[in-house]
Amino acid sequence: MSQDQKHQVLKRKLGPEDLRRFETPAIERESHGQTSAKSSVPDSASTVAVDFAGVTKSYGNKVVVDELSFSVASGECFGLLGPNGAGKSTIARMLLGMTCPDAGAITVLGVPVPARARLARRGIGVVPQFDNLDQELTVRENLLVFGRYFGMSTRQSEAVIPSLLEFARLERKADARVSELSGGMKRCLTMARALINDPQLIVMDEPTTGLDPHARHLIWERLRALLARGKTIILTTHFMEEAERLCDRLCVLEKGRNIAEGGPQALIDEHIGCQVMEIYGGDPHELLSLVKPHSQRIEVSGETLYCYAPDPDQVRTQLQGRAGLRLLLRPANLEDVFLRLTGREMEE
Amino acid sequence: MIEGFAAALPANAWNWVAVWRRNYLAWKKVSLVTILGNLADPMIYLFGLGTGLGIMVGRVDGASYIAFLAAGMVAVSAMTASTMETLYAAFARMHSQRTWEAMLYTHVTLGDIVLGELAWAATKAFLAGTAITIVTATLGYAAWPSVLYALPIIALTGCVFASLAMVVTALSPSYDYFVFYQTLVLTPMMFLSGAVFPSDQLPGAFQQIARCMPLSHAIDLIRPVMLDRPIGGIALHVGVLGLYALLPFFLSMALLRRRLMR
Ligand SMILES: Nc1ncnc2c1ncn2[C@@H]1O[C@H](COP(=O)(O)OP(=O)(O)OP(=O)(O)O)[C@@H](O)[C@H]1O
Ligand SMILES: [Mg+2]
């Protein structure tokens, strides 16, 4: 792609029009959209939202992100799945240009980062792992102040704030101080704040950690609403269920390395490929020898035996008549993949 | 490295205003309390020392002691107000409240944040210094209207001490370190710079040190205009203050970049 074409694409995606849209009447906006659609060249820059190529970052001697490569398509929900300290937040910070990688190249919305991070940030919304709302200000003031950081006037912000409050289900809390909000409401407000610049890409760092199930489901639902609007989402999490539910594709991280990548179901099929029988209530090592001939793989974790068996009935027959044993047959999930990849006490 | 530092510089000439306005909005809610708090301390010093010591001291440099002290207190109150804001409040916004982190997700750069914080601290210094100036002028201890020339100098003094304090903020791992700066740097500076007694009473070596301190230059400008006397070496004083505002500004930006964007 030539520099010129790139420039055109950029201009369409990130030009000052983004902020002006608040003033343009709807009809004009339509036609504006059409002209820019014509002038832009459909190429990789418009379909790839984020690209990491061989990115490495160390703190002291500790390699936190290791030769990491992945690529996120526009409109996709991409998950970064990894345990504590896997480097998820560091990846998010590098994507925003808030820290420089030691090696490798990062492109976000067609712009090289960190070199032109400020331009890229015009199209990014951020929901951080740790709340950084202004506790002293009200809900509405938080949005207003944040709009100013993007160069939006009070009038421009006030034009979008009602719809953001509605999105966050905080209409009735508009004049409440942030310190009065519950944890779930704060996270919703952070999401609304991330949308004030109408970003194409939203980076969410563990958006549901520490929330109760109600709040978690609300966040998931809001997140899906964003995907329906065509937003691209990068979601970091260590909840397998969350990743499985929401992500189109994900990358499993261990110590900053990409150890597997793909759709949740594809990963499950590839790495497990059968149902899982959980067996507990007996001596796992004794049971191990019994079921071993009938399983693809067996893992022991504490007192539970995880038995990956193509034909679970055979295992059941084998264990028949043993008192106090409990069997649970369930479909394989991402957690199984994760544990398989990162290695539990494993017995092939 | 150089490229990285360039990205941390202020993005343009007006971005910092958004940062300033955020602080103003939060301050407005508690303004009455903080104004009273900021005013009380220097007023107590002024009238406590001024009247008490004034009886023993008599006249200093041809002015009543309280009028002499007033100029010192104006400069010191500007110094204290902007130092406190930058050490404690700005440090909280950088560290525990993570306000700066949220700003860095946007169009605002680290340089814009630092500039906005400095401008805000200087604003508070300006308010504190001006309030005392008005009180002393009203009571007849400062000459009217030449006292008005003190106002821009107060603002500049606020910038200087905000800038210096920003370096301390950038270097401190926690709040506990600020007290060293206050007791080992600011308090001696107050005594050496001619705020409470004329510095030409000091031994020669101390006078040399005093000449390097920004507070002496601020006082050398503020005192003559408050007493309506001719000022010597305006360019030198303003130049020194300007350097003390600019150099720490760039230094603190480099330090903060290393601290926050590593
Ligand atoms: N500024 C820093 N200086 C030194 N080490 C750091 C810094 N930031 C992160 N690290 C280290 O890098 C590693 C990865 O941190 P990171 O925050 O990216 O992990 P994470 O996957 O987000 O973990 P969590 O699930 O706990 O949020 C950690 O071991 C952390 O100690
Ligand atoms: Mg994290």
Side-chain angles (χ1 to χ4, degrees):
Chain A
M1 180 174 63
S2 80
Q3 246 349 78
D4 216 331
Q5 287 169 334
K6 205 176 226 166
H7 194 68
Q8 274 183 348
V9 175
L10 285 186
K11 250 166 96 185
R12 178 178 63 78
K13 293 173 115 182
L14 298 163
E17 301 94 310
D18 278 296
L19 295 180
R20 234 182 280 143
R21 76 184 185 282
F22 299 112
E23 294 162 349
T24 17
I27 306 164
E28 221 178 289
R29 212 162 53 216
E30 288 280 313
S31 63
H32 179 83
Q34 274 170 12
T35 46
S36 55
K38 247 180 269 164
S39 67
S40 74
V41 189
D43 58 15
S44 63
S46 55
T47 53
V48 176
V50 177
D51 187 64
F52 272 57
V55 173
T56 298
K57 175 82 190 174
S58 344
Y59 287 115
N61 294 331
K62 189 171 174 192
V63 182
V64 173
V65 176
D66 194 359
E67 294 274 335
L68 181 71
S69 299
F70 67 88
S71 170
V72 181
S74 283
E76 186 176 45
C77 181
F78 187 83
L80 293 169
L81 184 62
N84 292 131
K88 303 182 294 294
S89 299
T90 307
I91 295 168
R93 283 167 53 81
M94 286 196 287
L95 192 154
L96 291 162
M98 288 168 69
T99 183
C100 297
D102 300 332
I106 304 173
T107 311
V108 181
L109 302 174
V111 178
V113 168
R116 307 196 63 197
R118 193 167 163 262
L119 180 63
R121 284 200 295 268
R122 187 179 283 184
I124 309 178
V126 185
V127 179
Q129 180 172 7
F130 302 103
D131 272 326
N132 50 24
L133 294 161
D134 257 315
Q135 301 288 330
E136 302 133 84
L137 305 183
T138 66
V139 168
R140 186 193 306 279
E141 285 167 345
N142 260 279
L143 297 173
L144 197 69
V145 162
F146 208 71
R148 283 199 199 116
Y149 301 149
F150 280 104
M152 292 165 70
S153 70
T154 305
R155 200 164 52 88
Q156 283 170 332
S157 294
E158 270 167 1
V160 291
I161 284 174
S163 64
L164 294 178
L165 290 175
E166 193 193 322
F167 176 84
R169 311 270 159 84
L170 286 171
E171 298 102 317
R172 291 208 254 132
K173 292 281 180 186
D175 296 310
R177 277 187 186 223
V178 168
S179 47
E180 295 163 21
L181 302 183
S182 70
M185 287 175 176
K186 281 184 191 161
R187 205 57 62 87
C188 282
L189 176 57
T190 309
M191 267 173 105
R193 189 184 71 174
L195 297 176
I196 196 143
N197 54 325
D198 195 21
Q200 288 169 266
L201 170 67
I202 299 155
V203 178
M204 305 182 105
D205 197 357
E206 303 197 17
T208 59
T209 303
L211 298 188
D212 68 26
H214 289 293
R216 190 154 66 222
H217 279 272
L218 177 62
I219 300 278
W220 286 345
E221 192 260 319
R222 297 290 72 194
L223 215 146
R224 249 195 233 102
L226 291 175
L227 288 170
R229 291 192 203 171
K231 308 279 187 202
T232 309
I233 294 181
I234 292 190
L235 174 75
T236 83
T237 183
H238 51 71
F239 288 136
M240 311 294 155
E241 189 198 345
E242 181 165 285
E244 207 170 321
R245 268 169 182 257
L246 297 169
C247 297
D248 299 312
R249 276 185 328 118
L250 52 92
C251 140
V252 182
L253 293 168
E254 189 193 32
K255 299 198 182 104
R257 273 177 304 118
N258 179 348
I259 55 171
E261 189 180 331
Q265 198 53 52
L267 283 174
I268 293 168
D269 293 343
E270 179 187 344
H271 294 280
I272 309 290
C274 60
Q275 289 185 303
V276 183
M277 173 104 68
E278 288 183 22
I279 308 167
Y280 52 101
D283 173 19
H285 294 283
E286 185 201 337
L287 294 170
L288 183 70
S289 51
L290 268 176
V291 296
K292 201 167 185 174
H294 306 286
S295 338
Q296 230 173 34
R297 260 163 21 88
I298 299 179
E299 287 167 16
V300 181
S301 175
E303 57 148 23
T304 309
L305 211 65
Y306 294 83
C307 178
Y308 301 92
D311 184 1
D313 285 337
Q314 278 184 337
V315 178
R316 229 189 273 273
T317 322
Q318 195 60 227
L319 295 172
Q320 226 156 31
R322 296 182 72 93
L325 218 54
R326 313 200 51 177
L327 305 181
L328 173 68
L329 186 65
R330 59 166 176 81
N333 59 30
L334 264 186
E335 189 157 333
D336 300 315
V337 176
F338 185 79
L339 293 173
R340 160 113 207 242
L341 289 170
T342 56
R344 194 156 40 182
E345 285 175 62
M346 203 177 288
E347 317 236 353
E348 287 290 340
Chain B
M1 190 64 211
I2 302 285
E3 199 179 289
F5 185 68
L9 289 173
N12 53 40
W14 59 86
N15 249 9
W16 62 270
V17 178
V19 178
W20 186 93
R21 288 183 74 182
R22 180 255 159 233
N23 289 347
Y24 173 66
L25 184 64
W27 174 80
K28 245 187 356 192
K29 299 175 184 239
V30 289
S31 53
L32 198 65
V33 186
T34 53
I35 287 179
L36 289 179
N38 279 341
L39 263 182
D41 197 47
M43 288 298 174
I44 291 166
Y45 269 94
L46 180 59
F47 292 106
L49 286 179
T51 47
L53 273 182
I55 297 167
M56 298 192 294
V57 175
R59 298 182 77 77
V60 181
D61 288 349
S64 73
Y65 180 63
I66 196 163
F68 173 87
L69 186 63
M73 283 301 119
V74 167
V76 168
S77 70
M79 169 175 95
T80 313
S82 66
T83 301
M84 288 307 205
E85 181 67 23
T86 312
L87 291 188
Y88 292 92
F91 185 80
R93 290 190 281 271
M94 169 182 83
H95 192 70
S96 43
Q97 299 174 7
R98 297 172 174 268
T99 317
W100 291 13
E101 187 186 79
M103 292 175 181
L104 288 173
Y105 303 153
T106 69
H107 262 188
V108 170
T109 64
L110 189 59
D112 295 322
I113 297 174
V114 174
L115 203 54
E117 291 285 1
L118 296 185
W120 172 246
T123 307
K124 287 191 82 172
F126 181 75
L127 288 180
T130 307
I132 297 166
T133 309
I134 292 170
V135 174
T136 48
T138 315
L139 295 176
Y141 296 121
W144 195 261
S146 75
V147 69
L148 292 177
Y149 290 117
L151 302 187
I153 308 163
I154 294 170
L156 181 58
T157 308
C159 290
V160 167
F161 286 98
S163 236
L164 288 168
M166 193 55 88
V167 175
V168 180
T169 296
L171 289 171
S172 292
S174 73
Y175 293 96
D176 306 323
Y177 292 77
F178 297 152
V179 70
F180 291 114
Y181 175 64
Q182 290 170 273
T183 54
L184 298 181
V185 179
L186 295 188
T187 309
M189 193 182 317
M190 181 175 90
F191 286 113
L192 291 176
S193 299
V196 283
F197 56 84
S199 50
D200 51 23
Q201 313 268 318
L202 290 167
F206 285 105
Q207 285 192 39
Q208 294 296 332
I209 298 173
R211 260 195 277 280
C212 303
M213 292 183 157
L215 188 64
S216 348
H217 294 273
I219 292 173
D220 284 348
L221 288 168
I222 294 174
R223 185 163 286 140
V225 299
M226 284 183 73
L227 300 176
D228 197 13
R229 291 177 180 171
I231 322 176
I234 299 182
L236 172 74
H237 296 313
V238 173
V240 171
L241 290 176
L243 280 183
Y244 266 112
L246 275 182
L247 297 183
F249 167 60
F250 286 106
L251 176 62
S252 66
M253 227 160 26
L255 291 169
L256 285 167
R257 195 183 90 83
R258 235 182 42 184
R259 175 176 186 151
L260 301 175
M261 308 190 65
R262 52 175 300 196

